[in-house]
Amino acid sequence: MSASSDTLRLISGVGRKGPACFVVETAGKRLMLDLGEGPPAGLLPDVERLGPIDALVLSHGHKDHVGGLALLAKLGNPPVYATEIVARGLPKGLPVRLLPTGGSGEVLGIEVTTGRNGHAPGGVWLHFAIGDGFLYTGDWSTESILYAYDPPTKTAAIALVDCSYADYDRPIGECWRALEPFAERGPLLLPVPANGRGPEIALEFLRYGRTDIYIDDAMSRVLRQLCTTDTASVRADVDDDLKALVVTAMPIDGARGIMLAASADGASGASKPLLEQWERAGEPAIVFTGYRAPDTPADRLIKSGRAEFLRWNVHPRLSDAVALAQDVRAKTVIPAFCDRSRLDALGQAFAPAQVTMDGPVKL
Ligand SMILES: [Zn+2]
């Protein structure tokens, strides 16, 4: 049963889009869940007055969940728990301990259950045997055609749930139908995260019949890993298409075909110089598909009309989030990574569960 001291602190990531960082206090231990940077770039959780923590647990390897690792020195350099795939991408020299990609493990003697999050290589949701159960979804999606998703099965009275899209509820099939006209022509540049929706969108274009697919080095590396070291995160039904994509995709060489390059907002990586080169040209078409932080090339090109924005779902629809909360019998839902202005709409959707964006929350 719940000890009165079990508490969840919402350090960053609830009430607005921003870096993920939460702290669970239980049985005299303090576990941090994720330690991200941005968006916007450079924004870090405020950990100045937190004092030492006993462990950091990472849900997946995206920057807004792991980009704040430089802060570990201020937190007593605790051990870092991550899946093997996520651990491989972390800075060398960290005191890493492995989490299962699916199944049971323990963190400082606390039972933790994980499952694949359908969102990123090595990404997991985390269920802790604290109080009447506590679920932290990290980022997740039930809809990915590439990344495998395992529904949580253990009950969780308290659920901290990625609601990045707030009350948006359109299926991923509609995302593809909006992109499909671009598959009939070309050339097209898609700035994408290499270790997220990039490989997934490339796969859709391949399945459509495009064989003129061009990718940057970061995408190429991730694709090869998905076929070799990262197969644990890949859906079983996608294996042959993924191998075909690795063989088909060529390095980007001029404005031709379907081109996919990191980063997603064009502020860094291979997409940055490509956007600078093509911003004032008539071709290629440019489509951004993810979160658009202010003052990024993505924001500028969409505002000027040079580029389009067509969302590609990599977070849950509202109906997915509501179904999850019901499945785990959540009594309290804390929606993460969306704006506080959506609180009332989410409160109605999750009822009769209570919805709050205010911590600390008793576990
Ligand atoms: Zn993510």
Side-chain angles (χ1 to χ4, degrees):
M1 285 307 291
S2 178
S4 59
S5 60
D6 295 349
T7 301
L8 169 66
R9 298 190 186 280
L10 313 175
I11 309 299
S12 170
V14 171
R16 62 173 176 157
K17 186 83 177 169
C21 185
F22 312 97
V23 170
V24 168
E25 296 175 351
T26 181
K29 303 268 178 28
R30 305 174 86 209
L31 311 187
M32 181 170 278
L33 309 179
D34 286 340
L35 183 54
E37 182 218 314
L43 181 66
L44 291 166
D46 180 5
V47 300
E48 289 301 327
R49 282 177 297 279
L50 266 184
I53 56 165
D54 298 293
L56 170 65
V57 184
L58 299 175
S59 64
H60 67 296
H62 288 164
K63 199 174 177 186
D64 52 339
H65 292 256
V66 305
L69 294 178
L71 297 172
L72 282 175
K74 295 184 176 185
L75 298 165
N77 288 311
V80 178
Y81 288 76
T83 65
E84 197 174 343
I85 295 171
V86 169
R88 209 183 301 125
L90 297 176
K92 302 294 165 236
L94 285 178
V96 172
R97 298 182 190 170
L98 295 183
L99 286 173
T101 307
S104 292
E106 58 88 25
V107 174
L108 306 178
I110 300 156
E111 187 189 341
V112 56
T113 308
T114 64
R116 296 171 295 181
N117 66 3
H119 172 85
V124 290
W125 48 258
L126 300 144
H127 177 284
F128 295 90
I130 299 171
D132 292 324
F134 166 58
L135 175 69
Y136 171 48
T137 65
D139 290 351
W140 64 291
S141 173
T142 64
E143 296 186 288
S144 176
I145 61 163
L146 172 59
Y147 301 110
Y149 171 68
D150 306 312
T153 51
K154 292 191 171 173
T155 58
I158 311 287
L160 174 55
V161 180
D162 167 22
C163 290
S164 291
Y165 298 158
D167 45 354
Y168 164 91
D169 206 30
R170 298 182 36 197
I172 200 166
E174 284 188 26
C175 302
W176 173 247
R177 278 195 291 285
L179 261 185
E180 198 171 5
F182 291 94
E184 285 155 24
R185 47 181 206 261
L188 169 67
L189 173 65
L190 294 147
V192 288
N195 63 347
R197 78 185 85 89
E200 179 162 12
I201 295 175
L203 205 56
E204 282 283 25
F205 278 97
L206 182 82
R207 285 177 171 174
Y208 179 86
R210 293 295 294 242
T211 53
D212 53 343
I213 296 172
Y214 299 89
I215 57 175
D216 70 335
D217 290 346
M219 277 270 300
S220 177
R221 200 163 47 245
V222 170
L223 276 178
R224 284 197 306 273
Q225 287 170 348
L226 286 169
C227 291
T228 53
T229 51
D230 296 0
T231 52
S233 291
V234 173
R235 283 171 54 136
D237 61 359
V238 91
D239 193 43
D240 290 348
D241 287 349
L242 200 55
K243 286 182 178 135
L245 183 59
V246 171
V247 174
T248 304
M250 296 161 282
I252 294 174
D253 178 23
R256 70 183 70 147
I258 306 297
M259 298 168 281
L260 301 101
S263 68
D265 61 7
S268 60
S271 66
K272 182 172 189 265
L274 293 175
L275 290 169
E276 284 165 2
Q277 188 184 338
W278 292 329
E279 182 166 356
R280 272 166 286 279
E283 287 194 320
I286 301 168
V287 175
F288 293 94
T289 52
Y291 178 76
R292 174 179 149 200
D295 305 320
T296 55
D299 191 41
R300 190 179 71 243
L301 270 74
I302 294 165
K303 278 181 180 155
S304 76
R306 175 63 184 88
E308 276 191 62
F309 169 73
L310 296 171
R311 175 179 281 162
W312 185 268
N313 293 2
V314 291
H315 298 280
R317 298 166 294 179
L318 178 60
S319 50
D320 296 322
V322 169
L324 173 76
Q326 287 170 352
D327 286 348
V328 302
R329 302 202 184 98
K331 293 195 176 83
T332 299
V333 174
I334 303 131
F337 317 131
C338 64
D339 199 80
R340 184 173 287 276
S341 63
R342 315 314 299 156
L343 183 59
D344 284 350
L346 294 171
Q348 285 170 30
F350 284 106
Q354 294 220 328
V355 175
T356 182
M357 291 185 179
D358 294 311
V361 176
K362 203 167 166 299
L363 295 176

